[in-house]
Amino acid sequence: MTGRLLAALLILAPSMALAAQPRTGTAAFGDWRADRPGVQRLIRPGDLPAPYATDSVATQPDVVARPKNRLPRVPAGFVAELVAQGLKIPRVLRTAPNGDIFLAESGAGQIRVLHSGGGDPAIFASGLNRPYGIAFYPPGPDPQFVYVAETNKVVRFPYSPGDQKAGGKAEIIVDGLPNGGPHWTRDIAFSADGKKLFISVGSASNAGERMGEKSQTAIADWEGRHGLGAAWGPEAGRAAVLTADPHGGGLRTFAAGIRNCSGLAIEPSSGALWCATNERDGLGDNLPPDYATSVREGGFYGWPWFYIGANPDPRHDGARAELKDRVTVPDVLIQPHSAPLGMTFYEGEAFPVDYRGDGFVALHGSWNRGKPTGYKVVRLLMKDGKPTGAYEDFMTGFVLSDKTLWGRPVGVTTGKDGALYVSEDANGTIWRVRKAN
C-alpha cells in the first residue's frame, strides 16, 4: 500500500485506524491530557503494576462554571447540545418506552421527566431520599409502574405512558436496604423477562477495613446463606448486587465482591446483567482498574480480599486465600480511579451501524490520583454481543486543567430519537449528542 493511499484511508476512516491500534500496556494508562474522541484503550490483567508502585494521592480539580461557548468534544460527524441546566445533582437517566426521559435529581430528592416533545423537565415525584436508580415495570411498551431506588429502599409509583406526574403515592417494594457510609447510590434494573429486580448496593468502606475476620466454620455458614464471598459485619448485604421478585419478595444476593456497582444495564442481545463498578483506592495511581462487566449469578468479583482476579489486596495480609482461584475477572478494565457511574447499551438507529449494541459508560472522574482521569463518556466496543475488552473515548473536554473542571458525567441513556443523553452533576446540566445533519 502506498503512503499516499494509506494517508487517504486515515483521513476517510479515522475510527477504523484507531480501532486497529488501541493503546495497550502502560500506554493504556494516563490522564485527561491524552483524552480525545476516538482514542481507544485495552487494559489487560497482566498490565497491572504492583501495589504502591506510586504514592496514593488525594487531589481533585476544582469545579468552575462552564466557560462561555465551551462544549464537550464528540467525534467528527456528531454534535453536542445543551438541553437542560440549573439542576441539583442530576444523576441517572432512563428512557421510558414512549420516549420521555426520566432523571434522578438526587440533590433535590426528586424524579424529573424530560418530555419527548421538549420543554422544561417536569417533577414526577419529590420528597425522596437521594433517589438514583429508575426502572419501568413490566418491561415492554406499556409499563404500569416507575420503580425508584432511594438510598435505603426501593419504591414504585403508578404510571401510564406520558404521565408527567406520578399517578399515586409511593409504594415500598424493598425496605431497609443497607445505607450509610460513602457509597449511597442504589441502581436498579429488571431482567428482560421482568421476573427479577436487580438492586446494586455499594460497600460501606474502601477495602473492608472494619469487617474483621471470622472462623472458617462461621465463614462457611455465612456463605452458605448469603453466597460466595458475601461480606459480613458492617458490610453485610453490601458490595453486591441483590435480587428480588418485582414485588420485593425473596430478596437475596445475586453476586458478591463488587465494591460499588454504580450502574446497572441489561445487554440486549444476551439479556445479561452488566455493572459499571468503582474499584478501591489507596494502592497507587494505576491500581486497581475500575471496570464494566457482565455479572453472573453466584459470581464473586474479589472485593475486599482480591482485585481483577487472583491479585491479593496487601491490606488484608493473605486473608481468604481459598478464594484466590474463584474470583471472576471483569470483562472491560477501565483506567483506575475513573469512577464509572451510569451505563447503557446503544439500541438506536441514528448513529452509524457499528455503534449498534455497543455500551456507553459515564466516568465521573478521579480523586485518588496525581493527575486527573475520567471525566468523560466512553464507548465499550462489543462484537456480536460480546465485549472485546477495549473501550473508546466518546465525549471528552470537561477538564480544563490539572486544577479545574466544569463537568462530571453521570447518567447515559439513548433517546427515542437515537441520540445519546448525558447528565453531569458538576454544573447540573444535561446534554444531547446526535449525528450532525
Side-chain angles (χ1 to χ4, degrees):
M1 182 180 292
T2 67
R4 181 175 297 175
L5 178 57
L6 177 59
L9 287 172
L10 290 173
I11 292 171
L12 292 172
S15 62
M16 184 187 302
L18 284 167
Q21 298 179 347
R23 299 183 180 199
T24 59
T26 57
F29 299 88
D31 59 57
W32 68 276
R33 291 169 295 184
D35 293 347
R36 66 180 184 277
V39 170
Q40 292 186 8
R41 293 172 176 81
L42 176 59
I43 299 175
R44 302 183 178 96
D47 298 332
L48 306 188
Y52 311 120
T54 62
D55 292 337
S56 178
V57 179
T59 182
Q60 190 174 64
D62 294 329
V63 173
V64 299
R66 179 170 65 94
K68 186 177 181 181
N69 299 323
R70 178 85 180 205
L71 299 174
R73 296 178 64 183
V74 292
F78 290 82
V79 295
E81 302 168 323
L82 181 66
V83 296
Q85 58 186 325
L87 299 166
K88 189 174 181 181
I89 313 183
R91 300 217 116 187
V92 166
L93 294 169
R94 294 276 153 77
T95 303
N98 75 326
D100 289 345
I101 294 177
F102 279 64
L103 163 70
E105 191 180 11
S106 302
Q110 58 193 21
I111 302 296
R112 286 185 177 267
V113 184
L114 287 73
H115 193 270
S116 58
D120 292 333
I123 297 175
F124 181 82
S126 59
L128 303 172
N129 183 7
R130 290 191 285 187
Y132 191 79
I134 302 169
F136 304 95
Y137 180 80
D142 191 25
Q144 300 170 21
F145 298 96
V146 175
Y147 281 62
V148 176
E150 301 180 62
T151 196
N152 61 331
K153 61 182 179 290
V154 177
V155 299
R156 71 180 183 186
F157 297 92
Y159 171 72
S160 293
D163 282 355
Q164 300 289 287
K165 187 174 182 178
K169 293 183 178 180
E171 175 189 359
I172 296 175
I173 298 301
V174 176
D175 202 3
L177 290 176
N179 67 96
H183 299 139
W184 58 267
T185 59
R186 306 286 179 263
D187 204 2
I188 52 175
F190 280 102
S191 59
D193 62 9
K195 294 180 179 179
K196 291 180 179 178
L197 169 65
F198 299 110
I199 309 165
S200 66
V201 181
S203 67
S205 64
N206 176 44
E209 296 88 347
R210 297 182 297 114
M211 280 178 58
E213 294 302 326
K214 284 176 173 278
S215 70
Q216 290 300 311
T217 300
I219 287 172
D221 177 66
W222 180 264
E223 292 184 340
R225 290 182 286 124
H226 300 282
L228 180 69
W232 56 79
E235 300 289 354
R238 304 190 67 144
V241 176
L242 310 180
T243 188
D245 67 39
H247 307 290
L251 184 68
R252 59 185 174 84
T253 300
F254 183 80
I258 304 173
R259 178 177 176 266
N260 187 24
C261 171
S262 292
L264 288 173
I266 301 296
E267 197 283 313
S269 65
S270 66
L273 177 70
W274 275 66
C275 268
T277 300
N278 290 210
E279 252 294 352
R280 70 206 76 188
D281 299 308
L283 296 179
D285 275 1
N286 292 325
L287 199 72
D290 293 323
Y291 59 83
T293 190
S294 56
V295 178
R296 62 179 179 83
E297 186 167 6
F300 171 59
Y301 293 79
W303 188 91
W305 304 284
F306 299 90
Y307 59 87
I308 315 303
N311 297 290
D313 189 317
R315 293 166 293 196
H316 286 283
D317 195 29
R320 301 307 310 276
E322 75 279 8
L323 293 177
K324 179 178 180 179
D325 297 323
R326 303 182 70 178
V327 181
T328 300
V329 177
D331 293 310
V332 183
L333 305 187
I334 296 173
Q335 166 69 41
H337 311 301
S338 292
L341 294 186
M343 75 174 300
T344 191
F345 288 93
Y346 188 78
E347 298 183 80
E349 298 181 354
F351 285 11
V353 67
D354 61 326
Y355 280 79
R356 189 77 57 82
D358 283 354
F360 284 99
V361 178
L363 306 184
H364 198 228
S366 59
W367 68 267
N368 186 218
R369 202 170 191 283
K371 298 288 185 182
T373 195
Y375 308 104
K376 59 186 176 182
V377 176
V378 299
R379 172 188 173 194
L380 307 184
L381 302 178
M382 309 284 286
K383 184 176 182 181
D384 300 325
K386 302 294 184 182
T388 66
Y391 67 96
E392 179 179 281
D393 291 353
F394 180 78
M395 187 181 191
T396 67
F398 295 100
V399 183
L400 301 173
S401 71
D402 286 349
K403 298 185 181 299
T404 58
L405 62 86
W406 67 267
R408 304 190 72 187
V410 179
V412 284
T413 191
T414 306
K416 198 169 186 178
D417 58 0
L420 189 73
Y421 289 76
V422 178
S423 64
E424 68 78 22
D425 63 5
N427 268 275
T429 59
I430 298 176
W431 296 81
R432 174 174 54 224
V433 182
R434 61 171 177 82
K435 280 290 290 178
N437 295 327

